[in-house]
mmCIF file of all heavy atoms in Angstrom:
data_model
loop_
_atom_site.group_PDB
_atom_site.id
_atom_site.type_symbol
_atom_site.label_atom_id
_atom_site.label_comp_id
_atom_site.label_asym_id
_atom_site.label_seq_id
_atom_site.Cartn_x
_atom_site.Cartn_y
_atom_site.Cartn_z
ATOM 1 N N VAL A 1 0.653 268.178 132.868
ATOM 2 C CA VAL A 1 -0.605 268.611 133.502
ATOM 3 C C VAL A 1 -0.766 270.139 133.490
ATOM 4 O O VAL A 1 -0.780 270.761 134.544
ATOM 5 C CB VAL A 1 -0.674 268.077 134.954
ATOM 6 C CG1 VAL A 1 -0.996 266.613 134.996
ATOM 7 C CG2 VAL A 1 0.637 268.321 135.715
ATOM 8 N N GLY A 2 -0.959 270.754 132.342
ATOM 9 C CA GLY A 2 -0.878 270.197 131.017
ATOM 10 C C GLY A 2 0.535 270.318 130.430
ATOM 11 O O GLY A 2 1.430 270.930 131.019
ATOM 12 N N PRO A 3 0.710 269.802 129.231
ATOM 13 C CA PRO A 3 2.004 269.765 128.587
ATOM 14 C C PRO A 3 2.645 271.150 128.408
ATOM 15 O O PRO A 3 3.843 271.314 128.637
ATOM 16 C CB PRO A 3 1.700 269.113 127.240
ATOM 17 C CG PRO A 3 0.477 268.288 127.488
ATOM 18 C CD PRO A 3 -0.324 269.079 128.470
ATOM 19 N N TYR A 4 1.852 272.137 128.003
ATOM 20 C CA TYR A 4 2.406 273.478 127.813
ATOM 21 C C TYR A 4 2.813 274.102 129.148
ATOM 22 O O TYR A 4 3.782 274.865 129.216
ATOM 23 C CB TYR A 4 1.400 274.379 127.100
ATOM 24 C CG TYR A 4 1.241 274.065 125.629
ATOM 25 C CD1 TYR A 4 0.085 273.440 125.157
ATOM 26 C CD2 TYR A 4 2.231 274.391 124.708
ATOM 27 C CE1 TYR A 4 -0.061 273.140 123.808
ATOM 28 C CE2 TYR A 4 2.089 274.096 123.365
ATOM 29 C CZ TYR A 4 0.940 273.475 122.909
ATOM 30 O OH TYR A 4 0.803 273.189 121.576
ATOM 31 N N ALA A 5 2.081 273.789 130.203
ATOM 32 C CA ALA A 5 2.431 274.315 131.528
ATOM 33 C C ALA A 5 3.786 273.780 131.974
ATOM 34 O O ALA A 5 4.579 274.504 132.590
ATOM 35 C CB ALA A 5 1.354 273.941 132.543
ATOM 36 N N GLY A 6 4.056 272.516 131.663
ATOM 37 C CA GLY A 6 5.351 271.946 132.004
ATOM 38 C C GLY A 6 6.485 272.644 131.278
ATOM 39 O O GLY A 6 7.539 272.943 131.859
ATOM 40 N N LEU A 7 6.274 272.943 129.988
ATOM 41 C CA LEU A 7 7.280 273.667 129.218
ATOM 42 C C LEU A 7 7.480 275.071 129.770
ATOM 43 O O LEU A 7 8.609 275.560 129.867
ATOM 44 C CB LEU A 7 6.858 273.747 127.747
ATOM 45 C CG LEU A 7 6.924 272.451 126.944
ATOM 46 C CD1 LEU A 7 6.350 272.665 125.551
ATOM 47 C CD2 LEU A 7 8.357 271.946 126.845
ATOM 48 N N GLU A 8 6.387 275.727 130.132
ATOM 49 C CA GLU A 8 6.479 277.083 130.657
ATOM 50 C C GLU A 8 7.227 277.112 131.981
ATOM 51 O O GLU A 8 8.013 278.038 132.237
ATOM 52 C CB GLU A 8 5.082 277.679 130.833
ATOM 53 C CG GLU A 8 5.069 279.100 131.388
ATOM 54 C CD GLU A 8 5.904 280.076 130.570
ATOM 55 O OE1 GLU A 8 5.983 279.925 129.337
ATOM 56 O OE2 GLU A 8 6.496 280.996 131.189
ATOM 57 N N LEU A 9 7.012 276.103 132.822
ATOM 58 C CA LEU A 9 7.742 276.054 134.087
ATOM 59 C C LEU A 9 9.239 275.906 133.838
ATOM 60 O O LEU A 9 10.048 276.598 134.462
ATOM 61 C CB LEU A 9 7.233 274.901 134.952
ATOM 62 C CG LEU A 9 7.994 274.681 136.271
ATOM 63 C CD1 LEU A 9 8.025 275.954 137.114
ATOM 64 C CD2 LEU A 9 7.387 273.528 137.067
ATOM 65 N N GLN A 10 9.615 275.025 132.911
ATOM 66 C CA GLN A 10 11.040 274.862 132.649
ATOM 67 C C GLN A 10 11.627 276.143 132.053
ATOM 68 O O GLN A 10 12.748 276.549 132.398
ATOM 69 C CB GLN A 10 11.293 273.679 131.710
ATOM 70 C CG GLN A 10 12.779 273.384 131.537
ATOM 71 C CD GLN A 10 13.062 271.954 131.106
ATOM 72 O OE1 GLN A 10 12.158 271.131 131.030
ATOM 73 N NE2 GLN A 10 14.306 271.649 130.827
ATOM 74 N N ASN A 11 10.878 276.805 131.175
ATOM 75 C CA ASN A 11 11.332 278.085 130.634
ATOM 76 C C ASN A 11 11.511 279.115 131.741
ATOM 77 O O ASN A 11 12.468 279.899 131.738
ATOM 78 C CB ASN A 11 10.347 278.605 129.598
ATOM 79 C CG ASN A 11 10.503 277.929 128.245
ATOM 80 O OD1 ASN A 11 11.605 277.531 127.880
ATOM 81 N ND2 ASN A 11 9.417 277.804 127.505
ATOM 82 N N ALA A 12 10.581 279.130 132.702
ATOM 83 C CA ALA A 12 10.662 280.086 133.808
ATOM 84 C C ALA A 12 11.904 279.831 134.660
ATOM 85 O O ALA A 12 12.563 280.774 135.113
ATOM 86 C CB ALA A 12 9.398 280.008 134.662
ATOM 87 N N ILE A 13 12.207 278.554 134.877
ATOM 88 C CA ILE A 13 13.415 278.209 135.642
ATOM 89 C C ILE A 13 14.649 278.760 134.941
ATOM 90 O O ILE A 13 15.541 279.357 135.564
ATOM 91 C CB ILE A 13 13.522 276.686 135.830
ATOM 92 C CG1 ILE A 13 12.403 276.185 136.758
ATOM 93 C CG2 ILE A 13 14.889 276.297 136.390
ATOM 94 C CD1 ILE A 13 12.265 274.672 136.787
ATOM 95 N N LEU A 14 14.698 278.609 133.622
ATOM 96 C CA LEU A 14 15.843 279.103 132.861
ATOM 97 C C LEU A 14 15.905 280.630 132.892
ATOM 98 O O LEU A 14 16.977 281.216 133.082
ATOM 99 C CB LEU A 14 15.766 278.615 131.412
ATOM 100 C CG LEU A 14 15.821 277.099 131.195
ATOM 101 C CD1 LEU A 14 15.699 276.773 129.713
ATOM 102 C CD2 LEU A 14 17.096 276.512 131.769
ATOM 103 N N ARG A 15 14.741 281.265 132.724
ATOM 104 C CA ARG A 15 14.720 282.735 132.688
ATOM 105 C C ARG A 15 15.155 283.347 134.008
ATOM 106 O O ARG A 15 15.712 284.446 134.035
ATOM 107 C CB ARG A 15 13.316 283.242 132.340
ATOM 108 C CG ARG A 15 12.885 283.004 130.905
ATOM 109 C CD ARG A 15 11.683 283.860 130.541
ATOM 110 N NE ARG A 15 10.572 283.670 131.449
ATOM 111 C CZ ARG A 15 9.605 282.777 131.278
ATOM 112 N NH1 ARG A 15 9.641 281.976 130.216
ATOM 113 N NH2 ARG A 15 8.614 282.666 132.131
ATOM 114 N N HIS A 16 14.882 282.663 135.114
ATOM 115 C CA HIS A 16 15.188 283.218 136.429
ATOM 116 C C HIS A 16 16.519 282.717 136.993
ATOM 117 O O HIS A 16 16.817 282.928 138.167
ATOM 118 C CB HIS A 16 14.051 282.901 137.406
ATOM 119 C CG HIS A 16 12.812 283.687 137.129
ATOM 120 N ND1 HIS A 16 11.863 283.272 136.224
ATOM 121 C CD2 HIS A 16 12.370 284.873 137.612
ATOM 122 C CE1 HIS A 16 10.878 284.166 136.175
ATOM 123 N NE2 HIS A 16 11.172 285.143 137.003
ATOM 124 N N THR A 17 17.296 282.066 136.149
ATOM 125 C CA THR A 17 18.624 281.621 136.555
ATOM 126 C C THR A 17 19.676 282.589 136.020
ATOM 127 O O THR A 17 19.669 282.917 134.833
ATOM 128 C CB THR A 17 18.928 280.209 136.006
ATOM 129 O OG1 THR A 17 17.972 279.279 136.542
ATOM 130 C CG2 THR A 17 20.324 279.760 136.398
ATOM 131 N N GLU A 18 20.540 283.067 136.889
ATOM 132 C CA GLU A 18 21.652 283.908 136.456
ATOM 133 C C GLU A 18 22.751 282.997 135.928
ATOM 134 O O GLU A 18 23.353 282.226 136.673
ATOM 135 C CB GLU A 18 22.164 284.760 137.620
ATOM 136 C CG GLU A 18 21.164 285.798 138.111
ATOM 137 C CD GLU A 18 21.746 286.681 139.190
ATOM 138 O OE1 GLU A 18 22.964 286.571 139.448
ATOM 139 O OE2 GLU A 18 20.990 287.489 139.755
ATOM 140 N N ALA A 19 22.986 283.077 134.639
ATOM 141 C CA ALA A 19 23.939 282.170 134.011
ATOM 142 C C ALA A 19 24.666 282.874 132.875
ATOM 143 O O ALA A 19 24.096 283.738 132.197
ATOM 144 C CB ALA A 19 23.225 280.935 133.485
ATOM 145 N N SER A 20 25.888 282.495 132.648
ATOM 146 C CA SER A 20 26.668 283.035 131.538
ATOM 147 C C SER A 20 27.118 281.932 130.577
ATOM 148 O O SER A 20 27.705 282.206 129.544
ATOM 149 C CB SER A 20 27.894 283.785 132.067
ATOM 150 O OG SER A 20 28.694 282.943 132.887
ATOM 151 N N ARG A 21 26.801 280.679 130.941
ATOM 152 C CA ARG A 21 27.169 279.548 130.089
ATOM 153 C C ARG A 21 26.236 278.390 130.402
ATOM 154 O O ARG A 21 25.527 278.395 131.411
ATOM 155 C CB ARG A 21 28.618 279.139 130.324
ATOM 156 C CG ARG A 21 28.905 278.787 131.781
ATOM 157 C CD ARG A 21 30.323 278.363 132.024
ATOM 158 N NE ARG A 21 30.488 277.910 133.404
ATOM 159 C CZ ARG A 21 31.449 277.089 133.795
ATOM 160 N NH1 ARG A 21 32.320 276.627 132.916
ATOM 161 N NH2 ARG A 21 31.527 276.727 135.066
ATOM 162 N N ASP A 22 26.224 277.386 129.542
ATOM 163 C CA ASP A 22 25.334 276.235 129.714
ATOM 164 C C ASP A 22 25.467 275.611 131.097
ATOM 165 O O ASP A 22 24.467 275.258 131.736
ATOM 166 C CB ASP A 22 25.642 275.154 128.667
ATOM 167 C CG ASP A 22 25.277 275.563 127.259
ATOM 168 O OD1 ASP A 22 24.542 276.551 127.108
ATOM 169 O OD2 ASP A 22 25.734 274.891 126.319
ATOM 170 N N GLN A 23 26.707 275.489 131.550
ATOM 171 C CA GLN A 23 26.981 274.751 132.782
ATOM 172 C C GLN A 23 26.465 275.456 134.033
ATOM 173 O O GLN A 23 26.437 274.865 135.116
ATOM 174 C CB GLN A 23 28.489 274.498 132.913
ATOM 175 C CG GLN A 23 29.047 273.515 131.904
ATOM 176 C CD GLN A 23 29.193 274.131 130.514
ATOM 177 O OE1 GLN A 23 29.226 275.358 130.364
ATOM 178 N NE2 GLN A 23 29.256 273.270 129.502
ATOM 179 N N ASP A 24 26.043 276.713 133.908
ATOM 180 C CA ASP A 24 25.549 277.462 135.060
ATOM 181 C C ASP A 24 24.081 277.171 135.373
ATOM 182 O O ASP A 24 23.597 277.528 136.450
ATOM 183 C CB ASP A 24 25.705 278.973 134.827
ATOM 184 C CG ASP A 24 27.164 279.394 134.760
ATOM 185 O OD1 ASP A 24 28.004 278.694 135.350
ATOM 186 O OD2 ASP A 24 27.452 280.416 134.113
ATOM 187 N N TYR A 25 23.388 276.537 134.444
ATOM 188 C CA TYR A 25 21.955 276.275 134.650
ATOM 189 C C TYR A 25 21.746 275.041 135.516
ATOM 190 O O TYR A 25 22.550 274.107 135.492
ATOM 191 C CB TYR A 25 21.248 276.089 133.304
ATOM 192 C CG TYR A 25 21.135 277.365 132.518
ATOM 193 C CD1 TYR A 25 22.080 277.698 131.559
ATOM 194 C CD2 TYR A 25 20.090 278.247 132.755
ATOM 195 C CE1 TYR A 25 21.988 278.879 130.841
ATOM 196 C CE2 TYR A 25 19.987 279.431 132.035
ATOM 197 C CZ TYR A 25 20.936 279.741 131.083
ATOM 198 O OH TYR A 25 20.848 280.918 130.390
ATOM 199 N N PRO A 26 20.656 275.019 136.305
ATOM 200 C CA PRO A 26 20.410 273.862 137.173
ATOM 201 C C PRO A 26 19.942 272.651 136.373
ATOM 202 O O PRO A 26 19.318 272.802 135.314
ATOM 203 C CB PRO A 26 19.287 274.362 138.092
ATOM 204 C CG PRO A 26 18.555 275.368 137.260
ATOM 205 C CD PRO A 26 19.609 276.056 136.446
ATOM 206 N N PRO A 27 20.234 271.462 136.858
ATOM 207 C CA PRO A 27 19.741 270.257 136.189
ATOM 208 C C PRO A 27 18.227 270.122 136.391
ATOM 209 O O PRO A 27 17.730 270.269 137.506
ATOM 210 C CB PRO A 27 20.497 269.124 136.889
ATOM 211 C CG PRO A 27 20.868 269.678 138.236
ATOM 212 C CD PRO A 27 21.076 271.145 138.037
#
């Protein structure tokens, strides 16, 4: 709702997560 907005939200979650490896990101 819409499809690109959903992708952008998930990208934003990743960008705002402090992580040094895959396992540090939230599910």
Side-chain angles (χ1 to χ4, degrees):
V1 284
Y4 287 107
L7 289 175
E8 180 55 33
L9 176 55
Q10 186 157 354
N11 281 329
I13 292 169
L14 297 179
R15 289 196 305 269
H16 288 86
T17 299
E18 294 184 7
S20 57
R21 57 179 186 157
D22 291 345
Q23 291 76 20
D24 294 334
Y25 289 95

